[in-house]
Amino acid sequence: MNVILGVGGGIAAYKAAELARLLGEQGARVQVVMTRAAREFVKPLTFAALTGRKVITDLFPRHESDGALDSAIEHISVAQENDALVVAPATADLLAKFAAGIADDFLTTLYLAFTGPVVLAPAMNSNMWRHPATQANLERLRARGHTIVGPDEGELACGMTGPGRLAEPARIAGAVMSVSAPRRDLEGETVLVTAGPTEEPIDPVRFLSNRSSGKMGYALARRALDRGARVILVSGPVHVPPPEGAELVRVCTAAEMREAVMERLEEATVIIKAAAVADYHVPVVPEQKMKKTMTRLSLELEPTPDILAEVGRKKGDRLLIGFAAETENLVAEARRKLRSKNCDMVVANLVGPGGAGFGSDENEVTLVLRTGETIQVPKASKLEIADAILDQVLPLRLALHAAQ
Ligand code: CTP
């Protein structure tokens, strides 16, 4: 396997040397590309010694008097010869350039020419990480299907404590190995994913909703596509860009989501209900905006249709995966939902204080299977969690067939 390791200009550049070594240990041939800024932190010689290959630094090397044409197209051949591109540390500047498609040096030009899987391991100061510009760039990169590993929280070189540390090199190497040997295990499957919150109108301008960002469902759709499935994504209102290749059905209310799911149920072989469906709605929505009065206001709410339960009744031999967001008794509650809604697996996560999940890019879940097994998935990016969930599709199907 051939891997390009792009090294950006940050204090963490020295850790990329460890990553180069680990990738080599896994049997990868590593071609290092360093940005000009990276060379301020680490000497190319370090990487050349570790990988046994010349490090690429410039788009137009000055010392090659007659080599301008060769080097000008070298980024194309490097792009074609390699199976994966990993960038560590991915600085805020590199993320911005990748997101915008700016190609002003070897690494950014190579990024545009490269069509294989991309792993980005960001590292920067916490404020730069949290900046809306950086977060918006990440969303765009994620929507392209790139794997983002980290950053970790902790003490940073600038003296601050917070998110921004480069993820452990072993974790980055693991992500590279998993994306470069793409599994096409879901070819032939049609995966119907629901994602995001629903919005239940109170009047023409107000609604009831929840904090779901849709990121978990979108990550599932992304990975199912990568693994060869056809994907129908029924999504409530969210701000994340839809994964390219998914058949997107936008809905607003629980009733609309139910209708969309029931309409497409026949086509699906796997249904994953990651949406945070509102449990209640206002049955009769006034046509005009409600006026403020100085007295108390009570809203009369009715339960929304339980889509998961209905799919559970009609699913036949389709695989049904539900979600359970709990604040306590995680596994017991997930088991109860699994049985009462006839699911094949429930993805349980702890929400509220102490829990990851809503809105975050990371999650930590327990998979509760119909077979009685529980699988703990430690804190990881939502794309990695999505893979852990999808890893259960084929084994579950086999187990269910065997039980029939
Ligand atoms: N769900 C659904 N339709 C609803 C409510 C929830 O399909 N009207 C689905 C969600 O998509 C999720 C699962 O049910 O897959 C569990 O959602 P959760 O809110 O945890 O559970 P509830 O069934 O609402 O139970 P409770 O609120 O009692 O925990």
Side-chain angles (χ1 to χ4, degrees), residues 194-196 198 200 210 254 257-258 261 272-280 303-311 320-327 333 336-337 340-341 343 345-347 349 351 358:
T194 69
T198 65
E200 310 300 328
N210 58 64
M257 185 171 278
R258 182 203 156 270
V261 169
I272 310 183
K273 289 242 50 205
V277 186
D279 285 327
Y280 292 94
T304 53
D306 190 326
I307 311 168
L308 185 61
E310 186 175 348
V311 175
L320 178 58
I321 302 175
F323 272 66
E326 307 294 343
T327 51
E333 274 305 302
R336 187 182 60 77
K337 281 179 193 171
S340 68
K341 301 188 186 192
C343 295
M345 177 164 90
V346 166
V347 181
N349 74 314
V351 289
F358 275 23

